Amino acid sequence: MQSIDHHFLDDYACRNALREIDARIKLILGLGGILIAISADTPYAPLFVGLTLSCTTVFLAKIPIRLYLALLMIPASFALMSVVVILFLTGGGDPILTITLPWFSLAATTDAALYATLILTRAIGGTCGLLFIALTTPMIELFSILRSLRLPAEFIDLAMLLYRSIFVIIGEAVAIYNAQVMRNGYSSFRQGIFAISMLASSLFIRAWDRGEDLLSAMDARCYDGKFEILEPTGAITASQIIPVIIFLSLSGILVLLPIPFPL
């Protein structure tokens, strides 16, 4: 925990090579890719979405590939665990793998393998779309887009407060954890359990205090119940929207084309 800067997502979102591209374009690209990836009935469109958005994020936005792969592996590991369950619990087709245990047997079939492949590609494609948005678009620009869509101001203000609170709590947790490590709080399993419980209780009190401090700071700045956000005013250019339309069209074609996939 001590080696990770909890502001790194915002840092890369503000300094990436696609920073000057209109946030609405990036949001359409990312959300469109996510919707296509999770709704496809074959793995071809999710794979295309994932590969294209990954290359865009790494090579065009100049996000370090090690960082990108590290972020991608977090949800991918959960998806892999789900795929293993699907592989052995979904029936149909011919058996391709059988694991015999003392009390029962597990069998993977062809239909289960195809369905697991589809689920995995959907998860990866959707995650690549989410990472593209997170690593190329600052949150303040996303909030300004929500304001321009005329969503309720209370909803946007609450989202902004929650977003800020996440990093405040992470920062407090990192500080408490580092202090515990300096005092050998995790030198044994028993001490680690005690340290975790102390961290949780201290974090609750710290978060409450920081919330009170934030409220006092807002009142001192004449907060009247509404955050002011500048709405996007620039026009979307053809050079920006045409590549997005081409990408979404190709992805949609891969979804609609009757490409054989024996699910």
Side-chain angles (χ1 to χ4, degrees), residues 24 142-151 156 231-232:
R24 292 169 290 183
L142 296 180
F143 291 134
S144 68
I145 293 175
L146 295 179
R147 179 63 58 85
S148 68
L149 294 176
R150 299 298 181 264
L151 291 180
I156 300 174
E231 299 181 10

Side-chain angles (χ1 to χ4, degrees), residues 186-216:
Y186 297 89
S187 58
S188 66
F189 178 77
R190 182 176 180 180
Q191 289 182 341
I193 295 297
F194 178 75
I196 286 291
S197 63
M198 292 296 296
L199 187 149
S201 59
S202 300
L203 184 60
F204 177 80
I205 298 174
R206 291 276 191 93
W208 188 284
D209 290 339
R210 292 298 297 271
E212 293 289 342
D213 294 341
L214 176 62
L215 182 60
S216 300

Side-chain angles (χ1 to χ4, degrees), residues 8-82:
F8 72 96
L9 283 179
D10 264 352
D11 291 342
Y12 280 106
C14 293
R15 294 187 289 107
N16 71 91
L18 298 179
R19 178 68 177 83
E20 300 304 322
I21 301 296
D22 195 297
R24 292 169 290 183
I25 293 293
K26 292 182 283 190
L27 191 61
I28 292 172
L29 178 61
L31 289 180
I34 292 173
L35 293 176
I36 290 174
I38 64 177
S39 62
D41 293 327
T42 60
Y44 309 116
L47 285 175
F48 175 73
V49 168
L51 181 61
T52 303
L53 292 183
S54 295
C55 292
T56 302
T57 305
V58 173
F59 297 110
L60 295 183
K62 308 297 183 183
I63 301 298
I65 188 170
R66 293 182 61 182
L67 170 68
Y68 185 79
L69 291 177
L71 293 174
L72 184 61
M73 284 305 299
I74 297 173
S77 60
F78 289 100
L80 284 173
M81 290 187 287
S82 301

